Amino acid sequence: MASVALENVSKVYPGGVEAIKGLSLSIANGSFTVLLGPSGCGKSTLLRMIAGLETITDGTCKIGDRVVNDVEPADRDIAMVFQNYALYPHMSVYDNMAYGLRNRKTPKPEIERRVREAAKMLAIEDYLDRRPRALSGGQRQRVAMGRAIVREPQAFLFDEPLSNLDAKLRLQMRIEIRRLHNRLKATSIFVTHDQVEAMTLADVVVVMNHGRIEQVGKPTDVYNRPATRFVATFIGSPAMNLIPGRVIGRGKVEIPGSGTLEFDPDEFEVADGTSVEVGIRPEDMSVAAPGESNGFAIQPEFVEELGPNRLVHGLAGGAPLVLSVSSSTRDLGNGAVALHVPEHRVHVFDTTTGRALRRG
Amino acid sequence: MVERRPFATFLAHVVLILGIVVVAFPIWVTFVASTHHAKDIMTAPIPLWPGTQFFENYRKLLFEGMINPTAGGVPMWRMMTNSFIMAMIIALGKIFVSFIAAFAIVYFRFPFRMAVFWIIFMTLMLPVEVRIVPTFKVVADLGLLNSYAGLTIPLIASATATFLFRQFFLTVPDELAEAARIDGAGPVKFMKDILLPLSRTNLAALFVIMFTFGWNQYLWPLLMTTDRQYLTVVMGIQRMINVADTDPQWPLVMAAVILAMLPPVAVVLLMQRWFIKGLVDTEK
Ligand SMILES: Nc1ncnc2c1ncn2[C@@H]1O[C@H](COP(=O)(O)OP(=O)(O)OP(=O)(O)O)[C@@H](O)[C@H]1O
Ligand SMILES: [Mg+2]
């Protein structure tokens, strides 16, 4: 197992598309890192550059201590699991898993041992003689993982391996992947555009957008302390509310036409009079109890019932606002409703750069 | 069929039976004619049931050949061997060359790749008949007249098969090649271990088409060979009919026709198993 380090890598596809723009990232040995971002942000490109399937236009890619820019994929000692599994259709499950080892001249008994062991781990022992065609999607997925596991590589690379599965199976495989990781402790890089997958699987989440990294951090960090407006709105569902406002004193921001909000002045540093964007998650607000003051008013427009909770869509000072309340909350009626937000749940972003205005 | 409509079924059978009669009847007549004395089939009514000369006619044809000036007593087995060798070399050669060419075009990035492809593609419009004079000159200058090499090589370079293989390779998911690359299979290994087995339905189909194509060659062998050693079946039959002053020995000609038909039929029957296996097994 090894760490992976990218220094200033960029990728320009023939035809001029700049998919990765000078990106640096270091992935710790044994960690489970998830690359998360919207479609087309360059996640797959980055993963494929690490795998060696795409050339690196600029910068260096290191696996362990070795610069691998010009090393063939087979010699990088990585294993990859593809979205469509990419199993060899004409080979049995056993041969699919053994193929890479045979090409590396691994002794036969050793191949046998590793394949059996992986098959046992993945509960596919009964299918070893079958062709991939005769397997269900979930079973194929396991075979694809088995093919990676038997290689005992330095790093596992996954490119949206669960997106072809139905919702229930996806959940199950997600848990299994995590369990496998806890057991094998192998460096894993996992690409997905599903934030739930990212939050539940990752030790470290790398949020990407337009070929750049927006934030690297623990799942709780990217949720609780988003570094940019993009991360703030990308993570969390429904998305974080962004409301334009103006700082009117230490830890105080005015929402024009709606009220005044307090934020944590030890967390955010903003000069008086600055125009900012205030970010509040729908689930961080509640209907103000008498005496609670930190908040502003929402003019409810319509309500979505989701079962356990309820989304109230409305306007606050002219900006659209979504509020998530528990289903047991009383009906808000039609008039303006005062809301309360704990001050440490208020995020402040620079209007022009979109960066969170955190101290330090 | 899922649908059960008696009239449609009846109609379908009528059409099929008619089709079979139209195709099979002449073959039957040919076969019957090949089992009679020459004089019997020249008098009306022509017989419709096999006669007594089956063994005699076929033995004579196969091992002695026809004694007339043009066919010159080349036994039929000789011609069939020639045709078989020619058809096999053409079919296998074409498949081999096109497979490799298509592999290069699809899986390697080299300068002028598309230009190469289009040049190959354009030769589709230049079958041997069109380029026969220059091709003849080249073969003659290389001293390949009257040889199997001369008979087959000009027919091997084949844009059709290259094109078909290319189209097939394009349907094979890229991830398969990438997975193989990560699994440590170089280009040749990938071709051998993965592409080749996946192509077997195509290989079988092309083999049938190309074998028949090679077997039926007429114009090129006619130009290329003057030596009776290299007489092929199709040329041979033509020469059997071409006799001066007497009637052709029809029973023997008919026997030759029947024999000429057998190898392509055998190839189709043999390869059919592969098609079906391929069709059932294939999954990309
Ligand atoms: N072979 C290619 N040639 C040219 N441009 C490409 C190529 N592959 C990807 N791109 C472009 O590079 C950008 C990043 O693509 P990439 O496949 O890495 O996105 P992604 O983040 O994996 O998206 P998704 O979630 O949809 O898989 C996109 O704008 C895409 O159009
Ligand atoms: Mg992708």
Side-chain angles (χ1 to χ4, degrees):
Chain A
M1 260 149 282
S3 59
V4 176
L6 301 166
E7 275 158 40
N8 255 318
V9 293
S10 58
K11 172 74 192 179
V12 181
Y13 277 111
V17 180
E18 201 181 355
I20 300 289
K21 301 163 185 162
L23 174 156
S24 299
L25 175 67
S26 71
I27 290 165
N29 186 5
S31 77
F32 200 111
T33 302
V34 173
L35 305 181
L36 176 67
S39 186
C41 71
K43 311 178 290 287
S44 300
T45 305
L46 191 62
L47 193 75
R48 292 164 55 80
M49 282 158 85
I50 299 172
L53 297 172
E54 298 288 353
T55 54
I56 296 170
T57 312
D58 204 6
T60 55
C61 172
K62 268 178 157 178
I63 298 178
D65 304 324
R66 188 165 62 129
V67 175
V68 292
N69 282 34
D70 299 317
V71 178
E72 268 292 297
D75 303 325
R76 291 190 181 197
D77 206 2
I78 44 96
M80 186 151 170
V81 179
F82 295 87
Q83 177 173 356
N84 65 2
Y85 320 133
L87 299 175
Y88 311 122
H90 59 291
M91 293 187 194
S92 68
V93 167
Y94 184 97
D95 289 336
N96 260 285
M97 301 202 326
Y99 187 64
L101 296 176
R102 287 192 189 130
N103 289 341
R104 286 179 173 74
K105 310 263 181 300
T106 315
K108 239 193 169 118
E110 173 71 7
I111 296 180
E112 172 98 18
R113 185 187 67 73
R114 289 203 208 171
V115 173
R116 300 266 167 218
E117 196 176 307
K120 197 165 162 212
M121 209 184 300
L122 295 160
I124 47 172
E125 289 160 295
D126 296 344
Y127 315 125
L128 285 177
D129 296 328
R130 290 209 205 157
R131 297 278 168 88
R133 161 176 57 89
L135 299 177
S136 73
Q139 290 161 347
R140 287 181 207 184
Q141 181 60 65
R142 282 162 212 265
V143 177
M145 298 208 325
R147 186 167 66 179
I149 291 172
V150 295
R151 293 261 321 279
E152 299 178 1
Q154 299 278 333
F156 288 101
L157 310 178
F158 300 86
D159 193 351
E160 308 207 23
L162 305 183
S163 54
N164 280 1
L165 302 177
D166 66 46
K168 200 170 152 207
L169 205 53
R170 198 178 310 164
L171 199 91
Q172 192 185 330
M173 287 307 293
R174 199 168 80 198
I175 293 166
E176 238 167 89
I177 288 181
R178 186 65 224 194
R179 189 172 291 147
L180 265 177
H181 177 73
N182 288 348
R183 181 163 168 187
L184 299 172
K185 295 264 178 276
T187 311
S188 306
I189 307 175
F190 188 103
V191 163
T192 181
H193 59 249
D194 179 341
Q195 49 169 304
V196 180
E197 233 167 75
M199 299 297 266
T200 49
L201 279 171
D203 297 325
V204 178
V205 180
V206 178
V207 184
M208 292 179 61
N209 191 27
H210 292 310
R212 289 205 176 84
I213 292 181
E214 293 275 335
Q215 185 172 5
V216 180
K218 292 201 294 262
T220 47
D221 275 353
V222 292
Y223 179 78
N224 290 324
R225 301 166 49 103
T228 64
R229 192 165 51 193
F230 174 82
V231 177
T233 49
F234 187 74
I235 307 255
S237 170
M240 183 186 279
N241 296 295
L242 289 175
I243 311 156
R246 208 166 58 85
V247 178
I248 52 169
R250 186 178 147 84
K252 265 197 168 49
V253 60
E254 183 193 28
I255 311 293
S258 181
T260 317
L261 262 177
E262 280 171 24
F263 60 89
D264 185 353
D266 296 333
E267 177 88 17
F268 294 97
E269 183 178 34
V270 201
D272 274 10
T274 320
S275 286
V276 293
E277 270 184 301
V278 178
I280 307 166
R281 294 203 181 274
E283 56 272 26
D284 287 340
M285 294 179 284
S286 55
V287 177
E292 277 179 333
S293 59
N294 188 28
F296 50 97
I298 181 174
Q299 180 67 49
E301 289 184 322
F302 62 94
V303 172
E304 285 180 294
E305 289 289 352
L306 299 182
N309 58 340
R310 176 188 296 165
L311 298 182
V312 181
H313 294 257
L315 291 174
L321 187 79
V322 183
L323 163 71
S324 171
V325 293
S326 111
S327 296
S328 57
T329 319
R330 69 181 165 79
D331 198 359
L332 295 186
N334 288 327
V337 181
L339 298 178
H340 169 75
V341 195
E343 65 169 29
H344 65 278
R345 306 302 299 171
V346 177
H347 309 262
V348 184
F349 300 101
D350 189 306
T351 310
T352 43
T353 64
R355 301 206 64 80
L357 295 166
R358 264 174 233 288
R359 275 179 198 281
Chain B
M1 227 166 57
V2 189
E3 273 183 273
R4 294 233 166 271
R5 272 184 291 174
F7 181 70
T9 313
F10 172 75
L11 200 69
H13 279 84
V14 168
V15 171
L16 287 174
I17 289 167
L18 272 178
I20 290 171
V21 168
V22 168
V23 174
F25 185 68
I27 296 176
W28 176 250
V29 171
T30 309
F31 174 71
V32 168
S34 73
T35 60
H36 283 271
H37 279 296
K39 59 180 186 333
D40 293 341
I41 58 168
M42 294 310 286
T43 53
I46 52 166
L48 285 179
W49 291 106
T52 53
Q53 296 304 106
F54 176 80
F55 290 107
E56 178 55 21
N57 283 350
Y58 281 81
R59 187 197 57 76
K60 204 166 154 202
L61 178 71
L62 273 171
F63 302 108
E64 291 169 17
M66 262 195 269
I67 316 299
N68 70 36
T70 43
V74 179
M76 186 71 179
W77 71 262
R78 175 88 231 173
M79 295 187 224
M80 290 189 70
T81 313
N82 283 340
S83 280
F84 185 76
I85 292 173
M86 181 174 76
M88 279 306 260
I89 296 181
I90 289 176
L92 294 178
K94 264 187 191 252
I95 286 175
F96 179 76
V97 169
S98 345
F99 194 88
I100 303 264
F103 180 65
I105 287 172
V106 175
Y107 287 98
F108 291 87
R109 307 270 164 274
F110 51 88
F112 309 114
R113 187 167 129 266
M114 282 324 277
V116 168
F117 172 70
W118 284 111
I119 289 170
I120 293 178
F121 189 74
M122 260 157 30
T123 61
L124 267 180
M125 287 155 236
L126 298 173
V128 174
E129 288 75 10
V130 177
R131 56 184 160 91
I132 202 149
V133 175
T135 308
F136 183 85
K137 171 103 172 86
V138 170
V139 171
D141 287 353
L142 290 173
L144 292 177
L145 295 177
N146 284 320
S147 71
Y148 287 121
L151 266 178
T152 54
I153 290 171
L155 295 170
I156 281 178
S158 165
T160 340
T162 311
F163 185 67
L164 290 176
F165 277 127
R166 172 185 179 264
Q167 294 312 99
F168 171 69
F169 292 168
L170 289 179
T171 68
V172 175
D174 289 344
E175 283 87 351
L176 227 48
E178 288 169 354
R181 237 178 117 191
I182 292 176
D183 266 346
V188 176
K189 218 166 163 36
F190 168 68
M191 182 170 82
K192 187 169 95 358
D193 290 350
I194 290 159
L195 221 43
L196 205 58
L198 288 181
S199 313
R200 57 174 181 224
T201 316
N202 296 266
L203 289 172
L206 272 171
F207 183 79
V208 170
I209 295 169
M210 294 307 170
F211 183 89
T212 317
F213 166 85
W215 184 266
N216 289 341
Q217 280 305 313
Y218 175 64
L219 186 58
W220 182 247
L222 192 65
L223 277 177
M224 261 294 304
T225 56
T226 44
D227 189 340
R228 281 183 189 150
Q229 278 287 318
Y230 292 100
L231 202 60
T232 65
V233 171
V234 181
M235 282 156 73
I237 292 172
Q238 192 269 344
R239 293 196 185 186
M240 289 175 194
I241 306 169
N242 239 344
V243 287
D245 302 335
T246 70
D247 281 330
Q249 292 168 281
W250 285 116
L252 295 194
V253 175
M254 292 301 156
V257 170
I258 292 290
L259 287 176
M261 221 169 55
L262 293 182
V265 169
V267 164
V268 171
L269 290 180
L270 273 174
M271 289 292 149
Q272 199 177 6
R273 286 187 21 239
W274 279 68
F275 289 159
I276 293 166
K277 198 162 135 51
L279 289 177
V280 175
D281 264 8
T282 317
E283 189 216 26
K284 286 166 225 149

